[in-house]
Amino acid sequence: MDTLTQFGWNELWEERFDPYQGDSIIPVRITREGKDLFHGMSREGNLILEIGGSLRNLVQLGVSDYPVIGDWCAVNYHSEGRGIIETVLPRERTLHRPISLEAGRVRKTGKPVAANIDLALIVIDVAFDGSLRRAERFLSLLESDDIPSVLILSKADLASSPEEAAAGASERLPNTPVLLVDSISHKGKEKVETYCLQGKTVVILGASGAGKSTLINMLAGKEISKTGETRISDGEGRHTTTARQLYHLENGALLLDTPGIRAVGTYGSQNPSTSAFSDISSFAEECRFSDCTHTSEPGCAVRRALKNGEIDQDSYDNFLIIQNESMGKEEMISKKREKEKEIARIKYHMRRGS
């Protein structure tokens, strides 16, 4: 199989690359990020990439995207093993960094961290963590980016009642596949592999110590990602992934390993994910007001269902937290747009000489 095809190249990317065809311009997919340098896969093999001056200017002007792992790029191949990124091809699904919050206010906008993602595996340590709140946060983040997800409950061999935990997760997250995995004995490997298909790019997300690197090594059949020790007392671990990297597996799937992301906020829609909170979303359709916040409005079907025990209290509490965070981001975006409009009005009057 052609090298580019192994890394997801198809007719769609061929079409998007066509306007940039040239004697020294070649298509490259970014497989690893570094400080001001990237690694990319091309038909010529692995390349070390730098950002071209013209692209850097376009990024500063907000006209072009800054390259991230998973991007397909048009690269000027100027010497053996090296190239200059001239442009980033239009992306498909893009994973954004969660919104950072400080004292209830948005502190940092969600920036793209990985591009052209087909699926996300959310890894939760079922033995020491098992936090479905964390899973709901990841699901809200991923649905904002239109990325389908699978929940992986790792370290099943260390959990006291893993099957019960999986049943509870499936009940709370009915729209999300839930898989129990023991990466040491490889129990559950076959089920995970049914989602990691040839040519598909799968990003793995989870907190430090959740078992992401161990899962990658299990799927690869060998150690390709560094693993670290986890404290037996509480399951806490250190970040062993320091740079994002795209791995090509023998079955043709592409796994994107990332440093542990804490889903501290959301990106995109003001409303939390319908996948993470499907029961709440279902009852919300019956609320008296279409913009009901499900906190104090009369005729709120969600609070009525909560009172009747039809909605889980912990899930409802988490829903409100994420909803408040999302509203904070929307408020920030609104203010930014108003500022941009004001600047545009000033420029217009300057051109008119008034």
Side-chain angles (χ1 to χ4, degrees):
M1 184 184 294
D2 176 79
T3 304
L4 284 188
T5 304
Q6 291 180 1
F7 278 81
W9 185 256
N10 54 35
E11 292 181 359
L12 171 66
W13 298 114
E14 188 80 50
E15 181 180 337
R16 292 183 179 179
F17 177 73
D18 188 64
Y20 307 100
Q21 293 276 6
D23 292 338
S24 61
I25 304 297
I26 61 173
V28 178
R29 190 171 196 191
I30 295 178
T31 57
R32 184 179 174 86
E33 295 180 21
K35 188 175 182 180
D36 296 326
L37 288 176
F38 300 85
H39 286 263
M41 184 57 63
S42 70
R43 289 192 175 94
E44 284 70 22
N46 185 59
L47 301 180
I48 296 176
L49 307 171
E50 300 175 71
I51 299 177
S54 58
L55 175 58
R56 195 177 295 275
N57 290 335
L58 292 175
V59 170
Q60 292 174 350
L61 291 171
V63 177
S64 177
D65 295 311
Y66 189 85
V68 297
I69 191 166
D71 266 326
W72 284 102
C73 304
V75 171
N76 189 343
Y77 182 60
H78 65 84
S79 65
E80 186 175 350
R82 301 189 75 90
I84 301 294
I85 301 175
E86 299 294 347
T87 192
V88 176
L89 300 188
R91 295 165 175 159
E92 290 293 289
R93 297 185 182 97
T94 303
L95 174 66
H96 293 82
R97 185 184 304 280
I99 299 300
S100 298
L101 298 165
E102 186 173 1
R105 299 190 175 205
V106 175
R107 180 166 55 87
K108 188 176 183 181
T109 58
K111 294 182 178 179
V113 294
N116 306 313
I117 306 299
D118 296 299
L119 178 73
L121 300 181
I122 303 170
V123 183
I124 300 292
D125 174 359
V126 70
F128 298 101
D129 183 2
S131 173
L132 294 182
R133 281 194 170 197
R134 192 192 304 276
E136 287 171 337
R137 284 179 165 273
F138 275 118
L139 285 169
S140 293
L141 170 71
L142 291 161
E143 185 165 293
S144 294
D145 288 327
D146 195 31
I147 299 175
S149 309
V150 174
L151 178 61
I152 305 293
L153 299 181
S154 65
K155 305 182 184 179
D157 58 317
L158 300 178
S160 57
S161 51
E163 298 294 342
E164 183 179 334
S170 295
E171 182 178 358
R172 183 154 161 177
L173 307 169
N175 294 334
T176 303
V178 178
L179 306 179
L180 268 177
V181 173
D182 172 17
S183 298
I184 304 301
S185 68
H186 290 189
K187 180 181 178 180
K189 178 182 178 182
E190 294 79 7
K191 291 183 178 179
V192 179
E193 286 178 331
T194 62
Y195 291 94
C196 301
L197 305 176
Q198 179 176 319
K200 300 299 182 181
T201 301
V202 181
V203 64
I204 299 184
L205 301 174
S208 58
K212 301 187 301 299
S213 297
T214 305
L215 176 65
I216 289 174
N217 292 336
M218 179 191 76
L219 295 172
K222 58 184 177 180
E223 186 169 350
I224 60 175
S225 182
K226 183 180 178 182
T227 59
E229 293 184 357
T230 302
R231 290 200 300 266
I232 297 297
S233 60
D234 57 8
E236 287 293 318
R238 295 182 301 169
H239 291 298
T240 52
T241 303
T242 57
R244 300 179 186 91
Q245 184 156 345
L246 191 63
Y247 298 102
H248 180 261
L249 304 185
E250 289 186 2
N251 73 342
L254 298 156
L255 286 186
L256 201 164
D257 194 10
T258 66
I261 292 180
R262 298 176 182 176
V264 296
T266 56
Y267 180 87
S269 173
Q270 179 173 329
N271 297 316
S273 162
T274 54
S275 292
F277 303 98
S278 58
D279 51 351
I280 294 177
S281 299
S282 177
F283 283 109
E285 295 178 0
E286 304 173 15
C287 289
R288 180 182 300 178
F289 302 104
S290 60
D291 59 349
C292 184
T293 63
H294 317 305
T295 54
S296 59
E297 296 90 341
C300 176
V302 171
R303 287 193 297 119
R304 184 172 61 247
L306 178 67
K307 184 178 180 180
N308 295 335
E310 298 173 271
I311 291 177
D312 181 82
Q313 179 69 52
D314 187 64
S315 181
Y316 171 76
D317 293 340
N318 198 30
F319 173 88
L320 293 183
I321 292 171
I322 296 176
Q323 179 177 248
N324 289 337
E325 292 173 358
S326 299
M327 285 182 176
K329 177 182 180 294
E330 291 296 320
E331 182 181 358
M332 179 201 67
I333 291 175
S334 177
K335 290 181 179 179
K336 181 180 178 181
R337 286 174 178 167
E338 285 299 319
K339 185 177 180 180
E340 289 174 347
K341 288 180 181 178
E342 181 61 26
I343 292 173
R345 283 194 291 267
I346 293 173
K347 288 182 177 180
Y348 173 79
H349 289 302
M350 289 177 65
R351 288 196 301 268
R352 298 275 296 183
S354 57

